[in-house]
Amino acid sequence: MAVTTTPAADERLRRWRLVLGGEADGTGCTLRGRDAAMDGALAALYRGAPEEGRAGKGGRRSAGLGGSAPQVARWLGDIRTYFPATVVQLMQQDAITRLGLDRLLLEPEMLAAVEPDVHLVGTLLSLKHALPETTRETARAVVGTVVAELERRLADRTRATLGGALDRSARVSRPRHRDIDWDRTIRANLKNHLPEHGTVVPERLVGYARARRAVRKDVILCIDQSGSMAPSVVHSAVFGAVLASMPSLDTRLVVFDTSVVDLTEQLTDPVDVLFATRLGGGTDINRALAYCQSRITRPSETIVVLISDLYEGGIRDGMLKRVAAMKAAGVRFIALLALSDEGAPAYDHAHAAALAALGAPAFACTPDAFPDVMAAAIEKRPIPVPEHR
């Protein structure tokens, strides 16, 4: 008995065949043309043999990328043809972790073929000491492309958000008429409400200060450069450069593992900052905070942002005592488990709970939310902590 199918049923079979992969997938659907090419690109990564060309059962070759640079270069070109950039970036990341293709990134031709993204930057930074001379400029160009895109996305909003927060944080009690903040003035004088006249008597005026050239806030970004923090390091370098460009902020950028490095002098170029980092190694948060604490001269006007997964290899009690001492002196202390779009990170829950008990809750923050977090710290408002962290 002949079985008839509908176009909708055929389309479902086609999609299931692409999802399941392999000829013996039970769909009975044969892929052709573009679909077959897409399936081949997926199979090379997710059904790949450890070595390209290794024979499978019955002598039939299985798909794979192997260690051939030309083969991988062709595959990179294929996935950019068949998939959107976000999928391409994910597949590149999987290829690096599943098949060990990071060694091929040491070749400039390979770097020219990849889709630049934050994960690729992290991989390049971890490989930077192994980069041959012929590849270094290409690697720097790839990192520069990602940094430029992040700056384009984040810089203007950050400056606008923090500029407004700095102006509002400098309110004066005897403002000129055009500088009066009417919303806060009304709220500050509600006790003087005269219902019979339908008005509020403004005994105290609240206004914005005129913009000043003087530095009004000190910001210290203290960044864990262990391997798992690579995306956070990239975003922190970009934000550090943006904050350093604002005259009203005195910004310091410190990176650490078991040692501490102050990269403040390189903040004019976030690419320089990134190539000065050393991804990987241990973690000594206590030592890093000790250094930051030694650089604080105006506690009540200082914001310290610790960006770390809190897996402390140093002295745990020392770390917590330093946080408590800074907060007692008036420092606004913010602990970010990650500064990235990666979602909930792995972190030390005990240390996060201990910081929360000190009034410094630790939470993950996306780059888009970071300006609002910093604005709240500048204005000394409650930090907007996500409900689920």
Side-chain angles (χ1 to χ4, degrees):
M1 178 178 177
V3 178
T4 60
T5 61
T6 65
D10 289 340
E11 177 62 14
R12 282 196 298 272
L13 285 175
R14 169 186 168 272
R15 288 175 177 270
W16 274 114
R17 169 63 182 80
L18 285 168
V19 169
L20 295 172
E23 296 298 335
D25 54 24
T27 64
C29 179
T30 301
L31 299 178
R32 296 180 176 83
R34 184 181 178 89
D35 286 347
M38 290 174 62
D39 185 61
L42 290 166
L45 175 57
Y46 298 110
R47 290 194 290 116
E51 296 177 7
E52 197 278 326
R54 174 183 288 183
K57 291 183 179 180
R60 184 174 180 272
R61 288 188 176 187
S62 62
L65 294 176
S68 165
Q71 174 92 348
V72 177
R74 286 193 297 272
W75 177 79
L76 287 168
D78 286 345
I79 64 174
R80 292 175 78 167
T81 299
Y82 301 127
F83 302 100
T86 52
V87 177
V88 169
Q89 292 167 3
L90 178 62
M91 292 178 73
Q92 286 178 173
Q93 185 182 353
D94 284 349
I96 290 170
T97 56
R98 288 168 59 91
L99 304 180
L101 296 186
D102 48 349
R103 66 187 182 276
L104 294 179
L105 295 177
L106 303 180
E107 303 179 21
E109 296 80 6
M110 289 296 301
L111 279 180
V114 294
E115 184 77 22
D117 72 324
V118 169
H119 293 288
L120 179 62
V121 169
T123 301
L124 289 176
L125 294 178
S126 67
L127 293 171
K128 66 180 182 180
H129 295 299
L131 290 174
E133 195 67 37
T134 54
T135 308
R136 288 178 186 172
E137 286 305 312
T138 307
R140 188 176 180 88
V142 170
V143 174
T145 298
V146 175
V147 166
E149 174 58 25
L150 289 175
E151 286 184 315
R152 183 197 64 76
R153 168 187 156 195
L154 301 169
D156 288 345
R157 179 171 175 269
T158 300
R159 293 190 184 100
T161 301
L162 299 193
L166 287 163
D167 285 342
R168 289 188 293 274
S169 70
R171 291 187 182 89
V172 294
S173 59
R174 299 181 65 182
R176 287 180 277 190
H177 186 271
R178 62 182 176 179
D179 294 330
I180 295 173
D181 182 344
W182 286 109
D183 180 62
R184 289 182 177 266
T185 294
I186 291 171
R187 280 189 281 166
N189 291 277
L190 285 177
K191 63 181 180 180
N192 302 321
H193 180 218
L194 302 177
E196 65 274 17
H197 296 289
T199 189
V200 172
V201 178
E203 288 184 349
R204 184 168 69 88
L205 298 177
V206 180
Y208 304 120
R210 304 290 290 174
R212 303 172 190 164
R213 292 184 178 274
V215 171
R216 295 206 287 274
K217 297 291 179 183
D218 298 333
V219 177
I220 301 177
L221 301 179
C222 185
I223 307 162
D224 183 345
Q225 60 177 349
S226 57
S228 61
M229 299 296 294
S232 297
V233 172
V234 176
H235 287 109
S236 298
V238 173
F239 276 118
V242 173
L243 298 181
S245 71
M246 301 182 66
S248 295
L249 296 177
D250 185 6
T251 303
R252 183 177 295 275
L253 188 142
V254 176
V255 298
F256 68 92
D257 41 36
T258 53
S259 59
V260 181
V261 181
D262 193 324
L263 299 178
T264 303
E265 295 301 318
Q266 294 167 267
L267 272 178
T268 53
D269 188 342
V271 176
D272 284 346
V273 169
L274 290 173
F275 274 96
T277 61
R278 185 180 63 187
L279 292 178
T283 308
D284 193 338
I285 303 173
N286 178 56
R287 174 177 289 186
L289 291 181
Y291 177 83
C292 295
Q293 193 175 20
S294 72
R295 295 299 183 269
I296 296 173
T297 57
R298 304 189 305 154
S300 62
E301 302 300 331
T302 299
I303 302 164
V304 174
V305 184
L306 171 66
I307 304 173
S308 172
D309 54 18
L310 301 180
Y311 288 111
E312 170 65 313
I315 304 172
R316 176 186 186 273
D317 290 342
M319 173 187 76
L320 297 175
K321 286 178 181 178
R322 292 191 189 283
V323 174
M326 283 189 274
K327 286 184 62 64
V331 173
R332 295 302 306 270
F333 188 91
I334 301 170
L336 300 182
L337 302 170
L339 180 56
S340 72
D341 291 307
E342 300 300 296
Y347 64 95
D348 189 305
H349 290 257
H351 288 164
L355 287 176
L358 295 174
F363 59 98
C365 180
T366 65
D368 289 327
F370 185 71
D372 295 323
V373 169
M374 290 300 296
I378 287 170
E379 296 183 61
K380 299 185 178 180
R381 294 187 281 108
I383 302 299
V385 179
E387 291 184 8
H388 303 286
R389 57 183 189 275

